Amino acid sequence: MNSVIWLVIPCYKEEEVLPETSKELKEIMNGLIKKGKISNESKICFVNDGSTDKTWSIISDLCKSDSLFSGINLAHNKGHQNALLAGLMTARHYADAAISLDADLQDDVGVIEQFIDKFHEGKEVVYGVRSTRATDTAFKRGTAHMFYKLMNAMGADTLEDHADYRLMSKRALDGLAEYKEVNLFLRGIVPMIGYETDVVYYERHERFAGESKYPLKKMLSFAVDGITSCSVKPIRMITLLGFIIFLVSIAMLIYFLVLHIIGHTVAGWTTLVISVWGIGGLILLSLGIIGEYVGKIYMEVKERPRFIIESFYYGQEHFFDIKRENKV
Ligand code: UDP
Ligand code: MG
């Protein structure tokens, strides 16, 4: 089979890793083309997520020198998920399937061929799943495990130890295009699309240069976004909590009435203070969670674009207005 495969790689300030990454990926793609596994119209597509360093100039040089490369320049930094989406939504107009991966090659690129084999067997979505997390710190491993457990408990259907290394067929990408939400959490949405899926196991390596663009703060906000954009369970839990507290307050009321009737008027200072702080904290927490959803609704109703493409290289061809060219 000779299908057109696109590799989609979001890049944010990745000038240190791009030369090596592009070299390795080029070798792999050329090998696959030679073997006749993929068409020679396949592309390695880098998406520049509004980097302020030399990332885009490296990408455009690659595109000018070799038609195996293609590049999308976003007008602004929109975050990993949106950059990935911009790449995938462009890829679906050209490719039979697209594989998304990170620029730092932490995900083992040796399994790209297995992804393509599974696609040729008829799978529409193939998830890359880490077989071990040996290279991650114990802290990252622990928090990641908690994150997946929490996601699933909250009703978002995610696959443990699958990041954004996956293959999606054109059909699956067309399905993804129907999800118009601004608060995008691909890991939660892709399983919702359905179709026949499969898994490829791989080892995750260390980042070979540069530093992680996901510090703890971004990781936490990613987790909150993931949960609140895939599930309304937290709000239901608040309702349940409110109900339980109401029951407790009725019990307390009865208790204090009885005490009052039998004449024991307790000073009640401790109880009072604890209730004030306890309930106050709960109310603020609940408001915060509800606020998170209200904020999401606000962002959704505005229907702002999820990304804006400044220019696009398809091999050596350079487009500045791909909406008008009907390519996105
Ligand atoms: N990335 C991006 N926009 C951002 C942050 C990150 O496109 O705002 C890209 C980054 O260039 C990389 C991928 O997302 O290709 C994953 O980031 P990173 O490797 O820093 O995350 P980690 O592997 O540490 O979770
Ligand atoms: Mg990384």
Side-chain angles (χ1 to χ4, degrees):
M1 263 215 246
N2 218 358
S3 34
V4 180
I5 304 287
W6 273 42
L7 301 183
V8 176
I9 304 138
C11 308
Y12 178 59
K13 296 194 187 165
E14 298 286 12
E15 59 182 8
E16 284 168 90
V17 302
L18 273 178
E20 177 64 26
T21 300
S22 55
K23 209 175 89 200
E24 272 188 49
L25 291 177
K26 184 176 159 175
E27 248 167 56
I28 290 176
M29 290 299 267
N30 280 336
L32 290 170
I33 292 173
K34 251 195 214 121
K35 268 197 203 168
K37 273 224 164 137
I38 61 174
S39 143
N40 58 4
E41 277 170 38
S42 300
K43 295 257 182 267
I44 301 171
C45 175
F46 291 107
V47 184
N48 174 33
D49 186 16
S51 313
T52 43
D53 62 1
K54 288 203 218 69
T55 303
W56 179 244
S57 79
I58 298 175
I59 297 173
S60 45
D61 286 347
L62 284 168
C63 295
K64 282 179 214 156
S65 67
D66 189 339
S67 63
L68 178 64
F69 293 102
S70 138
I72 296 171
N73 191 20
L74 296 190
H76 192 72
N77 177 252
K78 287 296 213 168
H80 173 226
Q81 299 283 297
N82 288 314
L84 188 53
L85 186 75
L88 293 176
M89 289 303 102
T90 311
R92 79 191 172 105
H93 296 284
Y94 299 91
D96 298 315
I99 301 174
S100 47
L101 62 158
D102 288 355
D104 52 18
L105 296 193
Q106 280 187 292
D107 307 321
D108 180 12
V109 287
V111 299
I112 287 182
E113 190 167 352
Q114 290 180 37
F115 275 105
I116 294 166
D117 288 341
K118 301 242 163 158
F119 169 61
H120 287 157
E121 282 165 22
K123 307 287 192 272
E124 305 280 349
V125 180
V126 186
Y127 298 104
V129 173
R130 288 177 214 175
S131 48
T132 59
R133 272 181 168 266
T135 56
D136 280 346
T137 57
F139 178 73
K140 184 141 186 173
R141 236 177 305 166
T143 46
H145 184 70
M146 261 164 49
F147 169 63
Y148 290 112
K149 278 265 156 336
L150 193 66
M151 284 294 295
N152 287 332
M154 292 292 168
D157 184 14
T158 52
L159 206 66
E160 174 147 12
D161 280 341
H162 158 67
D164 281 303
Y165 192 21
R166 75 174 87 76
L167 175 142
M168 291 179 80
S169 68
K170 181 176 161 43
R171 267 178 95 192
L173 289 173
D174 287 343
L176 178 65
E178 301 289 319
Y179 290 78
K180 307 278 188 210
E181 56 218 77
V182 175
N183 295 291
L184 193 72
F185 186 68
L186 285 169
R187 277 173 232 184
I189 291 176
V190 176
M192 282 183 208
I193 302 173
Y195 291 129
E196 211 178 320
T197 64
D198 208 337
V199 167
V200 163
Y201 290 95
Y202 70 95
E203 297 265 337
R204 187 162 159 99
H205 310 298
E206 302 260 16
R207 193 179 237 281
F208 69 87
E211 53 194 38
S212 172
K213 310 293 179 295
Y214 268 102
L216 184 65
K217 200 172 138 220
K218 260 198 190 173
M219 253 164 61
L220 283 178
S221 85
F222 189 61
V224 171
D225 262 356
I227 291 166
T228 51
S229 63
C230 290
S231 151
V232 288
K233 263 201 184 167
I235 289 194
R236 294 217 183 108
M237 279 161 50
I238 291 175
T239 318
L240 187 69
L241 195 69
F243 187 65
I244 292 171
I245 288 175
F246 179 64
L247 289 185
V248 171
S249 72
I250 289 181
M252 298 261 276
L253 187 79
I254 295 170
Y255 174 68
F256 285 116
L257 271 181
V258 171
L259 280 186
H260 184 74
I261 291 163
I262 48 180
H264 282 286
T265 18
V266 208
W269 169 245
T270 328
T271 337
L272 197 68
V273 169
I274 292 176
S275 343
V276 168
W277 283 93
I279 302 287
L282 277 177
I283 291 175
L284 283 181
L285 177 72
S286 312
L287 274 181
I289 296 178
I290 293 169
E292 184 72 29
Y293 284 94
V294 175
K296 286 244 148 80
I297 298 168
Y298 179 55
M299 295 312 287
E300 294 297 343
V301 293
K302 279 197 284 199
E303 283 189 45
R304 285 188 179 163
R306 295 179 287 186
F307 52 83
I308 288 177
I309 295 179
E310 192 171 313
S311 74
F312 168 51
Y313 275 102
Y314 177 75
Q316 276 108 339
E317 284 175 87
H318 199 182
F319 302 99
F320 287 91
D321 189 354
I322 48 178
K323 274 241 167 66
R324 199 170 303 152
E325 311 268 353
N326 229 351
K327 297 273 168 44
V328 166

